Amino acid sequence: MSNADQFGELLEAYALGALDAPERAALEAHLATNCPECTAALAEARWLVSQLAYAAPDAAPSDMLRGRLMQIVRAEAAQETASAAREIRVARAAKPAVPYWMWAAAAALLVVAVYSTWTARKLQEQVYETNQRAIAELNSREKIEEELAAVRREASILADPGSFKIALATSQPDLAPMQANWSPQLGIVLSGRKIQPPAGDRVLQLWLIPKAEGSKPIPSQTVRPDANGNFVLLVATPPGAMEDTKALAVTEEPAGGSPLPTTPPTWVGTTASASPTR
Ligand SMILES: [Zn+2]
């Protein structure tokens, strides 16, 4: 049988001197058997009681002990106020008197418990809110920095004296041409104006058509023009070199892009037609 189960909760009350006589007798009989669990638990309970005497906030009494303390405190308060109940007071006088420090400790304990629970919850909320705000700020700053870096890179490519301009013409009369600027060091900037956005969530995808015989188009990034039909696509690391590329092509593809074109190219520009940007 697990004695700890049977006596564990009584030990704290015993250490406080708050047990009824029958409970105390039963526990003392058991303690006389030198049960190691209960002996250790009693030592811990005595330590706890000594901590409670100073209402140390790090002492964590069980709910059972807390309940018992409050019972005692309430009974004591009832005694003080109910002057008519003298017989009860006489009857209770047979029990061991509640030490003054226990009353103070219980009151302090209650205050500490309520206050620290409230404070902890408040603090938790504040920490959570602060964290959320910091994460949001960090995310937006990262996003802004990424966008700034992209814009700087695009500007560098357009300003790079070593970069080339490639016009991507379209056979469709209702569509405007696109322009690519390709810097061997900094990558490709593909831009368009008044380009009707594809239907639904479909996208425009850039392809590098290799010079090598029989090789397939190399997929690059995708983009969707904004509501005005404008877009700027930065390809910082093109999937091929300009000298190995015959042409740049743009197709319409499902969202996320495709590994191979699923539609014929709508815009094409050959590297042979490339002219220095500046
Ligand atoms: Zn035991």
Side-chain angles (χ1 to χ4, degrees), residues 3-4 7 30 35-39:
N3 292 321
F7 293 107
H30 173 67
C35 163
E37 286 169 47
C38 291
T39 306

Side-chain angles (χ1 to χ4, degrees), residues 4-186:
D5 287 349
Q6 198 180 344
F7 293 107
E9 287 201 321
L10 294 181
L11 286 164
E12 287 175 341
Y14 177 69
L16 278 169
L19 277 189
D20 291 333
E23 285 175 324
R24 190 169 63 234
L27 181 59
E28 278 174 351
H30 173 67
L31 286 170
T33 67
N34 288 323
C35 163
E37 286 169 47
C38 291
T39 306
L42 179 59
E44 199 178 309
R46 285 197 165 126
W47 173 85
L48 183 61
V49 167
S50 74
Q51 296 301 298
L52 285 178
Y54 302 102
D58 58 339
S62 69
D63 288 346
M64 147 84 182
L65 175 58
R66 200 170 285 165
R68 205 171 267 265
L69 279 170
M70 290 320 296
Q71 250 174 25
I72 292 164
V73 170
R74 267 190 230 111
E76 198 77 350
Q79 274 182 37
E80 299 300 330
T81 51
S83 53
R86 272 206 86 78
E87 299 84 12
I88 296 172
R89 189 180 278 187
V90 170
R92 288 187 64 94
K95 282 193 157 193
V98 176
Y100 172 75
W101 63 259
M102 198 200 289
W103 198 99
L109 182 70
L110 194 72
V111 170
V112 166
V114 169
Y115 180 75
S116 59
T117 304
W118 181 81
T119 312
R121 194 166 300 157
K122 206 78 194 149
L123 213 66
Q124 249 174 7
E125 279 169 17
Q126 278 171 7
V127 166
Y128 179 77
E129 276 169 23
T130 308
N131 272 350
Q132 292 302 104
R133 216 176 308 135
I135 288 167
E137 264 168 35
L138 218 63
N139 283 347
S140 78
R141 184 178 300 177
E142 263 173 24
K143 200 161 177 276
I144 289 168
E145 272 169 14
E146 273 170 24
E147 282 168 8
L148 258 177
V151 168
R152 270 196 218 107
R153 185 117 182 190
E154 286 158 17
S156 308
I157 291 172
L158 298 179
D160 179 13
S163 75
F164 294 89
K165 194 162 63 183
I166 300 168
L168 279 74
T170 174
S171 56
Q172 298 192 22
D174 54 329
L175 287 175
M178 293 180 183
Q179 183 181 304
N181 291 77
W182 194 339
S183 156
Q185 280 80 38
L186 300 167

